[in-house]
Amino acid sequence: MEMDRISSLPNDVTEKILSCLPLRDAVRTSVLSSKWRYKSAMLQDLEFDECSWRTSQYREYDDDDYQIHKTFVNMIDHVLLLHLVPIRKFKLACTADEVATRDIDRWMTHLSRNSIKELIIKLWLDHQYNIPFSVFSCQGLVHLELLDCLLKPPSTFKGFKSLKSLRLLHVDMAQDVFENLIRCSPLLERLTLLSCDGVTSLKIDAPNLQYLHVLGEFDVVNLDSASSITEAEIWMGIGNDEIGVPASWIPACSSSNLLMIFDHLPHIRRLKINRRFLEYLSLGALPEKLTNPCQHLKALSVDICFDDPDAIPTALCILRSSPALQELEIEVDPTEKLPRIHSIVEEVNSPCVNDNYNCTFSQLRLVKITEISGVKAELDFIRFLLLSSPVLERMTVTPRRFPEPSYVDGVPKLVKELLQFKRESKHAEIILLDP
Amino acid sequence: MSTSTDNNASITQESGPSAAVQDIQKKIVVRTADGEVFNLKEEVAMEIDIIKTFFQEDSISYETVMPLPNVEGWEMVKVIEYCTKHVELKHKVDGYKERKAFQALFVQNLSTKSLLALTNTANYLEVKYLLDFLCQAVSEQIKNKDVDYVRELFGVENDFNDEEYEQVKAEAPWAHENLNNDLH
């Protein structure tokens, strides 16, 4: 037999190896030798995934979901009971019904007594899990991630003093619960908030926040107290029963949403403006330039609806105020602002080419434009970018899969002319050294 | 400009200080346990924390040859290979596929014994991302395998008697049941 090279590896290395394994495999190593007996019981990070468990149990319990869930629960109880060290990270992905919640409550109580640092709970099924009070007492929490839960903290909850990273998907909570949670977690650096019902106003009080990713139907966006943000992705939508721009979006007269947001993003480096957020920004008195240029903005991604006459000036205002911009990504938003009559669309003013915008993007190297239909407004914008980008290295243009019938004639001609497409290729790559 | 051969396992004569100074790019010189000497590009050398600390903490001149008594020559070759690729990919926007392909090749011809030795070395040299990758590679070798296979693969001797063995096994019966057919 070969010399044993693995058992003498330092403990933290064997722990790393074991943590790459599914828990069953890791626990099984306890019978290898006396040196290995307790290694798996000293893992600091535990991950329990009911899907993987189900796959591993398939032979014994083919169809019985309930039985499998029971064995899954038993296994977790077993592991927690025999564990020899405090658990630093606990990840749970499982089904949740009326009965299951009692099990999860029990595990949360156990973890809350053992200084847990990272907690990830991803649930699915019909019953939305109400996060128990024990979780709110975990003051050592550094990372919290929840999927499909209900957040209703006790009135005594004073925030998570150590929380640096928070990720909430489909988590229902009241507006004041949300604001309180953020405001009272002073170390918060990363916040992800996707489709969380109840949060109608995106007002964030987080002076240390660096990364923000949100998706929802918000009445208002207020980043006044979040000026350290360096990376943001904001997707704003409107409710299904809304017809036009929500009244709450319109700023007080003589103020501009664009300025109100960007005045508080002095450190922004990467920004994604998705869905209707550009529309939100375009409301109010649109300036030509931002009061404070985005000195550090390196990468910008924008969803632009070329049908909307306010979209391009808003985008241009940002572009003009971003001297350090290196990467630009534009996704054409096919939502129709104007009626889809070919001639009317053609007549939409393309301000960038018609007016004399003295604009040079001195650092812009990479441009990516997707979902184009070949509309004049789009092509004008592309032409403008090409003329204003002296160090452009690559422009990638991707047309929509199924361009509208009315544009089918226009597209091949204009596009070939302007962009020197390769024939029949869906993705065109242009490398320009100089306009 | 230095050529790429400097970063491969060329067994050079022990390069005196004058040779190192003549190079336009800064080089760091290390000597492994078997006496092999390696010239590393500064940016690659700085990926290896133990080297970085050695030179930076006490401001030791680059003319000093750093001894690495716990590292074999072939291991140094592999580490340099990985770190060089890592530095190269840092500047690429979309290096995912390339990284995956490189990683697959990197471990392709490594025996388990070598893989474990290299893991130990990555830990000693303090190259976190290499250590993470190698631990993942080791775990891949024992995923879904039964105990006997793992024992033989790593050369672990069973020092339990039958009674003890059954007792330990009984502590977590769920881990030993219902193993898939993916045993050997």
Side-chain angles (χ1 to χ4, degrees), chain A residues 1-7 9-10 12-13 16-17 20-25 27-37 53 55-61 75 78-79 82 327 366, chain B residues 93 113 116-117 119-120 123 128 131-132 135-136 138-139 142-147 150-151 154-160 165 167-169 171-181:
Chain A
M1 216 186 253
E2 291 224 340
M3 199 176 80
D4 183 353
R5 281 193 170 260
I6 193 170
S7 308
L9 284 176
D12 47 350
V13 176
K16 224 188 248 272
I17 296 172
C20 295
L21 290 169
L23 194 60
R24 290 179 80 227
D25 289 317
V27 169
R28 208 161 48 241
T29 63
S30 57
V31 300
L32 281 177
S33 76
S34 56
K35 269 217 179 96
W36 285 84
R37 181 167 182 178
W53 176 257
T55 318
S56 72
Q57 298 289 297
Y58 78 98
R59 264 194 296 147
E60 198 70 23
Y61 304 114
M75 183 263 294
H78 201 110
V79 169
L82 295 186
E327 290 168 42
L366 299 167
Chain B
V93 174
K113 177 174 151 188
L116 290 172
T119 307
N120 201 18
N123 183 50
K128 185 178 184 298
L131 179 62
D132 286 346
C135 285
Q136 177 72 40
V138 172
S139 78
I142 56 178
K143 212 180 260 191
N144 278 331
K145 300 290 195 289
D146 71 356
V147 176
V150 177
R151 263 215 207 94
F154 292 139
V156 180
E157 216 181 291
N158 181 9
D159 58 354
F160 291 129
Y165 181 87
Q167 190 184 356
V168 178
K169 199 167 159 195
E171 278 173 8
W174 55 271
H176 301 272
E177 290 165 355
N178 303 325
L179 284 177
N180 290 342
N181 269 325

Side-chain angles (χ1 to χ4, degrees), chain A residues 171 173-175 178 193 196-203 217-218:
Chain A
V171 172
M173 64 192 128
Q175 178 69 32
F178 169 70
L193 189 83
C196 294
D197 284 345
V199 181
T200 48
S201 165
L202 193 68
K203 189 170 178 304
E217 292 157 13
F218 304 114

Side-chain angles (χ1 to χ4, degrees), chain A residues 44-302:
Chain A
Q44 293 185 68
D45 300 349
L46 294 177
E47 235 180 84
F48 299 102
D49 184 329
E50 191 167 346
C51 269
S52 322
W53 176 257
R54 205 169 279 214
T55 318
S56 72
Q57 298 289 297
Y58 78 98
R59 264 194 296 147
E60 198 70 23
Y61 304 114
D62 250 330
D63 299 320
D64 200 337
D65 278 3
Y66 179 65
Q67 270 296 79
I68 297 182
H69 183 78
K70 251 180 74 178
T71 60
F72 179 67
V73 169
N74 286 342
M75 183 263 294
I76 299 180
D77 281 331
H78 201 110
V79 169
L80 291 182
L81 209 59
L82 295 186
H83 218 65
L84 291 170
V85 300
I87 297 163
R88 177 181 63 191
K89 173 175 163 184
F90 184 88
K91 181 171 170 184
L92 175 69
C94 74
T95 59
D97 59 18
E98 294 275 346
V99 179
T101 54
R102 266 182 258 148
D103 298 318
I104 307 176
D105 286 351
R106 180 171 68 244
W107 299 327
M108 293 304 116
T109 309
H110 175 84
L111 294 171
S112 68
R113 294 174 182 176
N114 284 292
S115 56
I116 179 139
K117 295 227 162 25
E118 280 184 56
L119 181 61
I120 301 161
I121 305 177
K122 293 186 177 179
L123 304 173
W124 65 87
L125 224 54
D126 24 63
H127 186 86
Q128 206 170 32
Y129 178 61
N130 205 335
I131 298 287
F133 285 1
S134 55
V135 171
F136 297 102
S137 70
C138 298
Q139 282 306 312
L141 266 185
V142 175
H143 172 71
L144 176 62
E145 184 173 336
L146 303 173
L147 170 66
D148 248 320
C149 303
L150 220 76
L151 217 63
K152 256 203 234 162
S155 51
T156 50
F157 179 56
K158 297 263 187 318
F160 290 113
K161 295 289 168 261
S162 316
L163 196 67
K164 283 198 179 158
S165 160
L166 180 62
R167 198 174 143 89
L168 304 173
L169 279 77
H170 291 289
V171 172
D172 286 359
M173 64 192 128
Q175 178 69 32
D176 61 321
V177 165
F178 169 70
E179 285 184 23
N180 194 46
L181 174 60
I182 305 299
R183 187 178 40 241
C184 299
S185 304
L187 298 185
L188 199 63
E189 289 173 8
R190 296 181 68 93
L191 173 62
T192 301
L193 189 83
L194 307 179
S195 307
C196 294
D197 284 345
V199 181
T200 48
S201 165
L202 193 68
K203 189 170 178 304
I204 298 181
D205 186 350
N208 287 315
L209 196 68
Q210 289 169 26
Y211 172 86
L212 177 68
H213 180 187
V214 292
L215 187 152
E217 292 157 13
F218 304 114
D219 290 340
V220 70
V221 178
N222 184 329
L223 301 176
D224 289 3
S225 309
S227 322
S228 302
I229 293 179
T230 56
E231 197 173 334
E233 185 173 338
I234 302 179
W235 189 107
M236 246 174 121
I238 52 172
N240 284 331
D241 35 347
E242 297 258 17
I243 306 169
V245 167
S248 60
W249 285 14
I250 302 172
C253 60
S254 83
S255 53
S256 143
N257 278 345
L258 189 64
L259 287 179
M260 285 201 288
I261 298 289
F262 275 91
D263 276 351
H264 300 283
L265 292 177
H267 303 289
I268 190 89
R269 282 197 238 131
R270 305 186 70 92
L271 179 61
K272 282 194 180 185
I273 299 175
N274 289 345
R275 199 73 180 95
R276 297 198 181 275
F277 189 44
L278 187 68
E279 212 172 312
Y280 179 84
L281 291 172
S282 69
L283 295 168
L286 201 62
E288 195 184 303
K289 260 190 171 179
L290 298 175
T291 5
N292 305 311
C294 296
Q295 302 281 12
H296 308 283
L297 188 61
K298 283 222 170 83
L300 176 66
S301 169
V302 196

Side-chain angles (χ1 to χ4, degrees), chain B residues 68-113:
Chain B
L68 293 173
N70 292 339
V71 182
E72 298 293 315
W74 72 267
E75 292 171 334
M76 199 66 218
V77 172
K78 288 300 262 183
V79 172
I80 292 172
E81 184 188 333
Y82 199 91
C83 292
T84 306
K85 192 65 175 182
H86 183 92
V87 169
E88 184 192 312
L89 287 176
K90 252 199 234 180
H91 303 301
K92 280 211 176 150
V93 174
D94 222 348
Y96 181 76
K97 271 195 192 156
E98 200 180 327
R99 184 189 302 275
K100 283 290 160 194
F102 171 76
Q103 284 175 336
L105 274 177
F106 187 80
V107 290
Q108 200 173 56
N109 293 320
L110 281 179
S111 67
T112 306
K113 177 174 151 188

